[in-house]
Amino acid sequence: LDEQGKESTTLRAPLLERSRNDETMSITTPLFLLPDQDGNHWELRSDTGWVSAKGDQLKLTGNVSGDSPKVASVPPTTFRTEQLDVFPKENRAKTDALVTMTRPGMTQSGVGFELDSKNKTYHFLSQSKGRYTPQR
């Protein structure tokens, strides 16, 4: 929960281990549910995860997938990469890895990616490519 008591992040995973030394958490095959401003959830999955002691940073590694909320008001959007750093309190995520993003009629990819979920903006940092397919 955030400072106002609202849902910030929900986690589902078969195994979570908390380090006594630094209070960080290591997670096996995490599924993070991140609510948008309308209360709909983005799903973030990966092979492994790590959460900082204060919960202000998530590190997802291996087969990272992000999927938009499954509601009519949001175009079905996915992204795939191998590594992603998420800062839930700041509504942002970033990676230096290759990212492929798809939406109806569009596929984009690039190396390096930054997302601001509060402002609903993203950009690729380099080697950006896009393909647009007309919708019928």
Side-chain angles (χ1 to χ4, degrees):
L1 302 177
D2 65 14
E3 290 79 22
Q4 290 77 38
K6 293 183 180 179
E7 178 187 15
S8 171
T9 306
T10 297
L11 168 64
R12 295 180 186 154
L15 180 64
L16 180 145
E17 297 176 314
R18 185 170 200 122
S19 168
R20 289 183 189 196
N21 295 335
D22 61 7
E23 298 185 349
T24 61
M25 293 181 278
S26 298
I27 308 162
T28 302
T29 60
L31 165 59
F32 288 97
L33 302 172
L34 303 172
D36 65 13
Q37 62 190 17
D38 299 320
N40 302 308
H41 293 86
W42 273 83
E43 296 182 2
L44 295 177
R45 299 173 189 269
S46 63
D47 292 340
T48 62
W50 175 90
V51 179
S52 66
K54 293 182 180 181
D56 56 353
Q57 183 177 6
L58 316 173
K59 288 185 174 281
L60 306 177
T61 307
N63 297 308
V64 178
S65 65
D67 297 288
S68 65
K70 294 167 180 63
V71 296
S73 61
V74 178
T77 304
T78 65
F79 66 87
R80 304 292 183 256
T81 188
E82 282 301 311
Q83 185 275 327
L84 185 69
D85 293 332
V86 181
F87 304 90
K89 293 179 181 180
E90 299 172 22
N91 299 302
R92 66 183 186 92
K94 68 177 187 167
T95 184
D96 293 330
L98 173 66
V99 175
T100 300
M101 186 174 75
T102 59
R103 300 177 73 149
M106 178 183 72
T107 301
Q108 292 178 287
S109 66
V111 176
F113 178 78
E114 293 181 353
L115 167 74
D116 180 334
S117 61
K118 185 173 185 176
N119 296 322
K120 297 183 180 181
T121 60
Y122 65 89
H123 63 275
F124 291 95
L125 303 179
S126 67
Q127 301 177 38
S128 180
K129 297 177 185 176
R131 187 174 91 194
Y132 299 93
T133 307
Q135 298 294 300
R136 296 178 194 224

